[in-house]
Amino acid sequence: AEDSILVHDRETFRLVDVNAKAVHNFGYTREELLDIDPAELMSGEAPYDMAHAVAYFELAKLGRCPPFEWQTRLKDGRLQWQEVRLKPVTIDGRAQILAFARDITERKAAEEQLRTSELLYHSLVEQLPQNIFRKDVNERFIFANSRFCDTVGRPLESILGRTDFDLYPEDLARKYQTDDQQMMNEER
């Protein structure tokens, strides 16, 4: 996907040029974009303000600005998440900053849906009256619900990364290990 490219004056942050993708994406004409205060484009609901924008631009001047996510408001009022990369350049002898912006609104929505799903899953697992745990392929615990933690008498932090041999007597640990291996072989 082609990025929106916005060229900012390095000192004033005002827009001095934009590409066709930026015009299409933001919904403004080229002339409107060049005339607009950049703060108006940054008036999304993300916890950023102009001070944050200035800090990013200062880092960009030094060539040390990592990509960041920013919420923008389009001309029609919709909010859109952007992944932004800033790069200091000199064009026709003028110090400028290129802002490469990519629409990541769909990705952010998918991340939020995943977070919601994970919270629901975690809530359900914590409410079940059974011991529930997960192990990785090396038979190390990577998850355990509070019921399991209570059963083995250990906090979660002392269970994660451990094996059955760390939690149980050797004969019981060997039985669990055999059971796990049998189950993994059946799933293949």
Side-chain angles (χ1 to χ4, degrees):
E2 182 185 350
D3 290 340
S4 294
I5 301 174
L6 301 103
V7 182
H8 295 265
D9 178 83
R10 200 180 298 188
E11 298 308 316
T12 67
F13 309 123
R14 298 293 298 188
L15 288 169
V16 295
D17 200 5
V18 294
N19 70 349
K21 178 71 174 185
V23 169
H24 174 76
N25 186 43
F26 287 93
Y28 293 93
T29 66
R30 181 178 186 282
E31 292 72 26
E32 288 172 324
L33 273 174
L34 296 179
D35 193 44
I36 198 168
D37 181 347
E40 288 183 45
L41 296 176
M42 296 180 247
S43 61
E45 295 174 357
Y48 300 111
D49 56 20
M50 200 56 188
H52 283 92
V54 170
Y56 283 125
F57 273 84
E58 292 302 322
L59 286 171
K61 287 178 187 179
L62 301 171
R64 297 186 188 143
C65 186
F68 58 93
E69 295 175 355
W70 196 277
Q71 198 173 34
T72 59
R73 186 170 303 280
L74 307 180
K75 183 177 182 178
D76 64 10
R78 288 181 299 128
L79 296 175
Q80 183 179 82
W81 278 99
Q82 302 277 337
E83 180 180 73
V84 180
R85 292 175 292 116
L86 300 177
K87 179 180 178 181
V89 295
T90 301
I91 300 174
D92 296 330
R94 293 187 315 227
Q96 298 173 339
I97 293 180
L98 296 180
F100 299 89
R102 178 166 293 167
D103 179 2
I104 59 167
T105 305
E106 287 182 22
R107 185 187 88 198
K108 294 294 278 186
E111 289 171 354
E112 183 58 31
Q113 287 176 336
L114 179 59
R115 252 189 311 279
T116 300
S117 176
E118 287 173 341
L119 288 171
L120 177 61
Y121 168 79
H122 183 74
S123 174
L124 290 171
V125 165
E126 283 299 318
Q127 299 302 317
L128 291 172
Q130 289 94 8
N131 290 329
I132 299 183
F133 58 86
R134 282 193 318 256
K135 295 178 186 175
D136 64 16
V137 295
N138 297 315
E139 298 181 22
R140 296 193 177 280
F141 289 94
I142 59 172
F143 172 81
N145 69 352
S146 56
R147 173 86 180 227
F148 181 81
C149 294
D150 291 344
T151 299
V152 297
R154 291 181 174 220
L156 181 62
E157 302 80 41
S158 71
I159 294 171
L160 298 179
R162 305 278 194 256
T163 69
D164 289 321
F165 290 95
D166 299 315
L167 303 178
Y168 302 108
E170 187 172 339
D171 59 331
L172 193 53
R174 284 201 193 290
K175 179 195 178 318
Y176 291 155
Q177 184 182 49
T178 300
D179 293 347
D180 290 346
Q181 289 172 354
Q182 182 180 1
M183 185 175 64
M184 284 192 295
N185 289 334
E186 288 174 6
E187 289 182 3
R188 290 182 192 171

